[in-house]
Amino acid sequence: MLINVPQFINNKMCTLPSDAEKLQAQLINNIKKKEVSYVDFEGATDIISRFINIALGQLLEKVSENDFDDFIIIDYEGLDPDDAVIIKRALANAKEYYRNIEILKPLEKELFEEMDSNVQ
């Protein structure tokens, strides 16, 4: 399935969390059906990392990295080089994070607890 993101979310600006959640839900649905998603950002005027983190990065919390790699193909052709870097960096960071989540979760919890105690 070809998903042109600006057309799919009906917005040339890939900035809204609600739009990112909509894209993520479609991608999950496609993966469950074992359908490859070709994700195309042609026509996008703005792409922010938060959008990519929600739409694609957090997807790795719900599907395996193998399924992600097998069923999601990002079309970088025609993308502004800065936008391509944002997407590639966000995906690399998310993959690394979810590969190491068992180690990172307790550290995050400890850090947040320490921050909370310093605020009070």
Side-chain angles (χ1 to χ4, degrees):
M1 165 184 249
L2 174 62
I3 300 173
N4 175 269
V5 177
Q7 288 177 358
F8 180 77
I9 63 173
N10 199 29
N11 191 346
K12 290 184 178 187
M13 296 174 50
C14 299
T15 57
L16 298 175
S18 58
D19 288 342
E21 290 166 358
K22 179 181 174 185
L23 176 57
Q24 185 193 100
Q26 181 63 55
L27 294 172
I28 289 171
N29 187 47
N30 291 356
I31 290 170
K32 286 179 180 177
K33 295 188 302 186
K34 303 288 188 204
E35 184 176 353
V36 175
S37 297
Y38 298 90
V39 182
D40 170 28
F41 289 90
E42 186 176 342
T45 57
D46 289 308
I47 300 173
I48 65 169
S49 60
R50 178 156 168 77
F51 181 93
I52 299 303
N53 287 334
I54 293 169
L56 300 173
Q58 291 176 11
L59 182 60
L60 288 158
E61 183 176 15
K62 299 170 178 139
V63 303
S64 72
E65 185 174 337
N66 286 338
D67 280 348
F68 185 97
D69 291 340
D70 289 345
F71 294 104
I72 297 177
I73 299 171
I74 309 295
D75 183 359
Y76 293 100
E77 194 170 315
L79 262 179
D80 180 275
D82 292 336
D83 291 336
V85 167
I86 288 169
I87 295 168
K88 289 176 181 178
R89 184 177 298 142
L91 288 176
N93 289 342
K95 287 179 178 184
E96 185 68 25
Y97 176 80
Y98 288 108
R99 273 187 216 124
N100 296 297
I101 196 160
E102 297 303 318
I103 297 166
L104 294 173
K105 276 292 185 189
L107 295 173
E108 283 181 347
K109 183 179 181 210
E110 184 178 317
L111 176 64
F112 287 128
E113 287 172 355
E114 184 178 316
M115 289 172 56
D116 286 343
S117 68
N118 287 338
V119 171
Q120 297 173 6

